[in-house]
């Protein structure tokens, strides 16, 4: 270990606390360093990690023979650390939620789906489980094959936090919302128009993605990953394929990597365009909506022409990309990116000149940088609140290791800052697209997938438009998936929404929600 | 303000002409219609969208129906905020078990004719998710379906064609004396 290892403070913190974490394994789940830890050290190592300034990223678990195994992933300065703990089914795993608040829901998810018993978990309530299966049933266990015998009742008995007092009203919203959006339930307590508290109830679009992955081959998994969150089909597809390729030790041709990055940047630009328009529309500034959805449509049509799919589904496949592009297409795409950048700049300038828009967006839905750090908020939501982390710049994967990625960031943490980060990211992405297309390597755009000779596992880490995506895949000796856990950034964005709306007026909730833009499907799995 | 007006004027009207598809074309477009609208709905169709478990891909393309290129409202089609205001439910996704009751209740709340459009492969046949402990699969497994639109997700042009076909067939119906 060299002195500049970002995980060194963690090792020092372990020593100070008399902990011996054992040797780090840099290979098994590269690029992360893997620590095999005993259940008795699980909590203390997490505490040491927290004191050393590591950011909490993900928790997932699975069966390991007749035992269970749990993973906790953390990061510091682009270096990832994974704690892995194997323990008996009846043994209790100490909850990490008291150390890292964002671990709460992932742990409850694991309790609902695998029946893991947690010690000192601060929230006893179910999360992903509504009424489709019983508390005694655990759908992700390999011996579970049941289906509900009849219609599943509504989730009407969830014990929400309540508030009492004169003038306090409770506003239940959803799961079916008023607009064309995904389903989820929001429970507000408000005093007049002021929001005192918001509690989210998610899980409505839980469709069993982790279970549906089991037994699939690599191509089948990539198809499924592309449908975790339809707006991030490239990012999730790439993360899953990266995990598969690392597990099976397959080298992806350079041209394929460049094309994947082109696809990912196109996805980022299209989503940012649509969402900035929608945020402005929620503030009744329809001009932005019409102009930016026009530019988004132009971009999606180019996707359909060049890549065969408007949203770029199934373009990333294990071993590379599904289709190649011609030199003419590369040139046209490059020129269109430059034109688009100029037009976006013009529209954004008009938005920035609007005082009425500024009045609605500034100081609305403010997430303080300290809170964002405590919750480990990532992506544009984090970068608008001082959490400057972008996998492309801080833990670069090919081809981003060949380029410098500028990372726009602010500390204001309001709706305006989130919109501003996103508008600047459009420029960065379009410039990146031009550089990628200018330097597109020659050669094949995919290499044949071959199943590994023995059971193995891999970790994919990419920067989707919403933020960092982690994807864990394990394969058996036949190359079939035994466990798949995609950690969408939304797991870390939803808790931030609850806090950023406090003290705002109820009519500003759509602005706050749209500006955070957590994925329901990516979270509910 | 001048910049804004200048932009609006310079871009002009970009809405594209769209003619209703012929019946023969429907299969190519992946659209299957089992029940058409009554002629009373010929000029206007109020749609309530329900995401019953989709990945959100379908929603992105439904949003696109309202952009300036497609401008679905020019045909009298509008999206409403409550099923009680709707003539038609546009349902996406496989129906997750956790959304099953919400979908049934939305259907119950919708007045006649309660036309149900299952939009996208998941809504038509369960798609990648099928039937499982967490998913009821196709929309037809939960509520009656009148129109199916295939695709993952169906493109806005396809959605527009299906809606235009419905409105045209309503318009073409014989007016009873």
């Amino acid at each position: 270990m060299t002195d500049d290892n970002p995980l060194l403070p963690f090792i020092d913190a372990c020593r100070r606390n008399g902990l011996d974490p054992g040797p780090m394994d840099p290979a098994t789940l590269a690029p992360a360093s893997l620590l095999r830890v005993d259940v008795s050290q699980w909590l203390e190592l997490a505490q040491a990690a927290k004191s050393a300034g590591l950011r909490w990223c993900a928790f997932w678990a699975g069966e390991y023979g007749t035992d269970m195994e749990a993973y906790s992933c953390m990061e510091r300065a682009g270096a990832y650390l994974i704690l892995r703990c194997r323990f008996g089914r009846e043994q209790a795993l100490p909850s990490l939620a008291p150390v890292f608040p964002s671990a709460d829901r992932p742990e409850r998810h694991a309790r609902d789906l695998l029946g893991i018993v947690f010690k000192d978990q601060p929230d006893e309530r179910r999360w992903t489980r509504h009424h489709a299966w019983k508390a005694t049933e655990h759908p992700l266990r390999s011996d579970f094959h049941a289906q509900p015998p009849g219609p599943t009742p509504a989730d009407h008995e969830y014990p929400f936090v309540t508030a009492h007092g004169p003038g306090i009203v409770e506003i239940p919203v959803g799961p079916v919302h008023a607009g064309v959006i995904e389903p989820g339930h929001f429970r507000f307590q408000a005093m007049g128009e002021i929001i005192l508290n918001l509690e989210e109830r998610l899980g409505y679009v839980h469709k069993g993605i982790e279970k549906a992955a089991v037994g699939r081959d690599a191509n089948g998994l990539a198809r499924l990953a592309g449908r975790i969150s339809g707006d991030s089909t490239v990012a999730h597809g790439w993360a899953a394929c990266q995990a598969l390729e690392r597990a099976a030790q397959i080298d992806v041709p350079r041209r394929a990597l460049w094309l994947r990055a082109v696809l990912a940047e196109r996805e980022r630009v299209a989503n940012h365009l649509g969402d900035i328009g929608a945020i402005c529309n929620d503030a009744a500034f329809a001009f932005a909506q019409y102009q930016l959805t026009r530019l988004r449509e132009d971009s999606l049509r180019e996707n359909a022409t060049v890549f065969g799919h408007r949203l770029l589904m199934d373009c990333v496949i294990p071993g590379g990309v599904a289709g190649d592009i011609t030199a003419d297409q590369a040139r046209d795409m490059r020129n269109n990116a430059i034109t688009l950048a100029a037009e976006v700049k013009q529209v954004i300038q008009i938005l920035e000149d609007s005082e009425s828009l500024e009045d609605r967006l500034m100081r609305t839905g403010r997430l303080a940088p300290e809170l964002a750090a405590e919750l480990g908020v990532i992506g544009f939501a984090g970068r608008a609140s001082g959490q400057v982390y972008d996998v492309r710049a801080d833990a670069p994967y090919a081809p981003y290791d060949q380029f410098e990625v500028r990372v726009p960031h602010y500390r204001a943490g309001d709706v305006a800052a989130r919109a501003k980060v996103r508008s600047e990211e459009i420029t960065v992405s379009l410039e990146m697209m031009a550089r990628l297309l200018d330097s597109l390597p020659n050669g094949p755009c995919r290499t044949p997938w071959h199943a590994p000779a023995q059971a193995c596992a891999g970790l994919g880490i990419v920067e989707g438009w919403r933020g960092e995506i982690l994807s864990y895949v394990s394969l058996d000796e036949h190359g079939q998936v035994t466990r798949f856990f995609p950690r969408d950034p939304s797991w870390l964005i939803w808790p931030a929404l609850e806090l950023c709306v406090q003290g705002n007026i109820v009519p500003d909730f759509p602005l706050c929600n749209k500006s955070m833009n957590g994925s329901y499907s990516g979270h509910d799995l | 303000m001048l910049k804004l007006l200048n932009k609006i004027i310079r871009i002009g009207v970009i809405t594209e002409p769209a003619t209703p598809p012929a019946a023969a074309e429907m299969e190519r477009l992946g659209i299957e219609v089992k029940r058409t609208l009554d002629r009373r709905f010929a000029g206007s169709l109020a749609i309530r969208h329900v995401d019953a478990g989709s990945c959100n891909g379908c929603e992105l393309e439904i949003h696109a129906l309202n952009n300036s290129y497609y401008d679905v409202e020019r045909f009298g089609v509008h999206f409403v905020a409550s099923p009680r205001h709707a003539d038609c439910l546009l349902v996406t996704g496989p129906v997750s078990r956790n959304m099953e009751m919400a979908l049934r209740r939305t259907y119950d709340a919708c007045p006649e004719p309660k036309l149900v459009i299952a939009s996208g492969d998941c809504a038509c046949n369960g798609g990648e998710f099928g039937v499982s402990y967490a998913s009821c699969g196709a929309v037809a497994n939960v509520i009656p379906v009148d129109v199916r639109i295939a695709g993952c997700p169906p493109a806005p042009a396809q959605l527009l064609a299906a809606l235009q076909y419905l409105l045209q067939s309503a318009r073409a119906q014989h007016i009873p004396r």
Side-chain angles (χ1 to χ4, degrees):
Chain A
M1 294 236 165
T2 55
D3 286 346
D4 57 0
N5 181 347
L7 296 179
L8 212 54
F10 165 71
I11 296 164
D12 288 342
C14 290
R15 284 206 194 102
R16 274 200 309 278
N17 293 296
L19 291 164
D20 175 20
M24 287 207 193
D25 169 0
T28 305
L29 284 179
S33 301
L34 178 67
L35 267 186
R36 298 172 176 85
V37 309
D38 187 76
V39 69
S40 63
Q41 285 191 316
W42 179 254
L43 178 64
E44 282 150 323
L45 287 172
Q47 283 163 337
K50 172 125 184 180
S51 71
L54 272 73
R55 171 178 67 89
W56 184 86
C57 313
F59 170 84
W60 69 94
E63 287 179 315
Y64 178 69
T66 55
D67 288 345
M68 305 298 266
E69 60 179 10
Y71 294 81
S72 185
C73 180
M74 289 161 280
E75 175 272 341
R76 183 174 180 278
Y80 287 83
L81 171 73
I82 290 183
L83 307 182
R84 189 186 71 192
C85 173
R86 289 180 172 155
F87 56 104
R89 280 186 192 212
E90 306 310 321
Q91 233 175 330
L93 185 71
S95 168
L96 299 188
V99 185
F100 296 109
S102 294
D104 175 65
R105 289 173 183 176
E107 286 182 352
R108 288 159 68 196
H109 176 77
R111 184 166 63 198
D112 287 347
L113 288 162
L114 282 154
I116 290 178
V117 182
F118 286 96
K119 186 167 168 282
D120 300 327
Q121 221 292 348
D123 200 332
E124 289 295 315
R125 298 173 299 173
R126 56 203 159 79
W127 182 244
T128 308
R129 185 173 72 83
H130 288 196
H131 292 295
W133 66 94
K134 299 191 199 81
T136 51
E137 295 176 316
H138 311 300
L140 259 188
R141 289 194 181 179
S142 49
D143 59 1
F144 179 92
H145 304 290
Q147 281 178 17
T152 301
D155 185 41
H156 61 283
E157 286 166 343
Y158 186 75
F160 287 99
V161 172
T162 54
H164 302 281
I168 293 178
V169 291
E170 191 164 81
I171 311 170
V173 182
V176 180
H177 295 158
V180 180
I181 51 170
E182 303 182 77
H185 183 94
F186 299 113
R187 185 66 60 100
F188 296 94
Q189 275 92 29
M191 174 87 92
E193 280 205 312
I194 306 290
I195 299 170
L196 301 178
N197 191 52
L198 161 65
E199 193 176 1
E200 295 154 357
R201 176 76 184 116
L202 301 176
Y204 284 93
V205 280
H206 174 70
K207 41 197 174 279
I209 287 175
E210 291 163 276
K211 185 89 171 179
V214 175
R216 287 187 181 228
D217 63 8
N219 287 310
L221 183 75
R223 239 184 3 260
L224 183 68
R227 285 153 184 85
I228 290 165
S229 179
D231 51 33
S232 305
T233 180
V234 173
H236 270 291
W238 192 351
C241 286
Q242 202 183 61
L244 284 164
E245 289 149 4
R246 282 174 179 162
Q249 297 180 331
I250 287 176
D251 282 326
V252 181
R254 274 162 56 85
R255 188 176 179 83
L257 293 168
W258 259 249
L259 287 173
R260 281 180 179 181
V262 169
L263 293 165
E265 298 311 323
R266 293 191 70 82
E267 181 170 87
R268 195 180 320 276
V269 169
N271 279 292
H272 285 355
L273 285 173
D275 287 348
I276 296 171
I279 290 168
C280 297
N281 198 50
D282 279 341
F285 199 77
F287 166 82
Q289 166 95 330
Y290 285 108
Q291 294 299 330
L292 295 175
T293 53
R294 172 178 66 84
L295 297 175
R296 175 183 157 90
E297 178 70 20
D298 290 342
S299 184
L300 299 193
R301 288 180 178 193
E302 191 174 38
N303 285 349
T305 311
V306 178
F307 297 102
H309 194 286
R310 285 167 54 91
L311 302 182
L312 306 171
M313 277 180 173
D314 306 321
C315 288
V316 178
I317 57 169
V321 291
D324 207 344
I325 62 171
T326 65
D328 286 350
Q329 285 173 326
R331 191 200 55 229
D332 290 349
M333 236 192 309
R334 183 202 183 282
N335 294 340
N336 291 339
I338 303 294
T339 315
L340 178 57
E343 218 178 329
V344 170
K345 195 175 161 197
Q346 202 186 23
V347 174
I348 296 293
Q349 185 59 53
I350 295 172
L351 306 188
E352 288 182 346
D353 288 347
S354 166
E355 285 169 15
S356 62
L357 193 60
E358 187 183 278
D359 184 51
R360 288 293 305 279
L361 306 189
M362 288 183 90
R363 293 174 296 281
T364 301
R366 188 163 184 274
L367 180 72
E370 301 72 35
L371 268 181
E374 180 68 14
L375 293 176
V377 183
I378 46 171
F380 63 82
R383 292 190 285 271
S385 289
Q387 308 310 302
V388 192
Y389 185 75
D390 185 318
V391 187
R392 294 173 300 164
D394 297 302
Y397 46 103
Y400 295 107
D401 53 354
Q402 303 297 313
F403 299 92
E404 195 187 322
V405 183
R406 190 161 64 80
V407 183
H409 56 91
Y410 290 91
R411 287 184 66 82
D414 51 9
V415 175
R418 289 189 281 276
K420 201 151 170 51
V421 166
R422 297 184 74 175
S423 72
E424 289 176 26
E425 284 184 12
I426 294 176
T427 311
V428 174
S429 280
L430 290 170
E431 284 167 8
M432 174 65 73
M433 224 185 283
R435 279 150 75 199
L436 287 161
L437 289 164
D438 281 340
S439 61
L440 195 60
N442 291 318
C445 70
R446 59 179 170 268
T447 191
W449 168 261
H450 60 80
Q454 57 195 16
C456 57
L459 184 71
I461 310 171
V462 306
E463 184 78 17
W465 65 269
R466 241 186 216 103
E468 168 202 65
I469 291 178
L470 291 174
S471 203
Y472 171 81
V473 179
S474 66
L475 301 170
D476 66 12
E477 64 277 16
H478 308 295
Q480 290 187 324
V481 176
T482 51
R483 183 76 177 98
F484 174 51
F485 179 75
R487 203 294 329 269
D488 191 86
S490 306
W491 281 100
L492 295 153
I493 291 173
W494 283 117
L497 176 67
E498 287 186 337
L499 297 180
C500 88
V501 300
Q502 288 180 3
N504 284 256
I505 56 173
V506 177
D508 276 347
F509 174 69
L511 277 176
C512 300
N513 190 17
K514 194 70 206 172
S515 75
M516 286 282 182
N517 204 349
S519 162
Y520 300 71
S521 184
H523 167 280
D524 293 352
L525 296 175
Chain B
M1 198 62 184
L2 275 179
K3 278 190 205 155
L4 185 150
L5 293 172
N6 183 38
K7 185 78 187 169
I8 293 172
I9 291 163
R10 209 179 53 74
I11 298 295
V13 177
I14 57 165
T15 308
E16 297 166 335
T19 44
E25 215 186 328
M26 297 292 275
E27 198 177 337
R28 186 185 64 78
L29 288 166
I31 303 166
E32 184 195 338
V33 179
K34 295 164 95 177
R35 177 169 71 121
T36 58
L37 283 162
D38 189 278
R39 67 168 296 281
R40 282 172 294 181
F41 297 93
S44 145
L45 184 67
I47 298 179
R48 173 65 250 184
H49 159 257
V50 183
D51 175 342
S54 112
C55 75
N56 200 28
C58 285
E59 282 62 45
L60 295 176
E61 295 295 56
I62 295 170
H63 279 295
L65 277 178
N66 280 318
N67 74 31
S68 312
Y69 285 104
Y70 301 106
D71 185 23
V72 72
E73 291 214 8
R74 72 186 136 143
F75 302 108
V77 176
H78 49 284
F79 288 87
V80 295
S82 164
R84 298 193 194 280
H85 307 157
D87 311 312
C88 165
L89 296 181
L90 178 64
V91 188
T92 58
V95 183
S96 74
R97 304 267 177 199
N98 291 352
M99 273 301 286
E100 183 178 357
M101 198 50 72
L103 177 62
R104 285 178 194 275
R105 286 180 182 172
T106 306
Y107 181 74
D108 290 344
C110 186
E112 293 293 335
K114 282 187 198 277
L115 194 84
V116 175
I117 305 177
S119 182
D121 288 346
C122 293
C124 292
N125 59 33
E128 280 295 314
F129 308 101
V131 176
S132 74
Y133 79 93
S135 165
C136 304
V139 174
N141 295 345
V142 179
I143 55 172
V145 167
D146 302 303
V147 179
R148 287 192 179 86
I149 309 176
C152 184
Q158 225 178 322
L159 297 167
L160 191 62
L163 294 169
Q164 279 190 286
Y165 179 86
L166 284 171
L167 290 165
Q168 183 197 241
S169 47
R171 213 170 281 130
Q173 277 178 34
H174 178 67
I175 303 167
R177 287 169 194 275

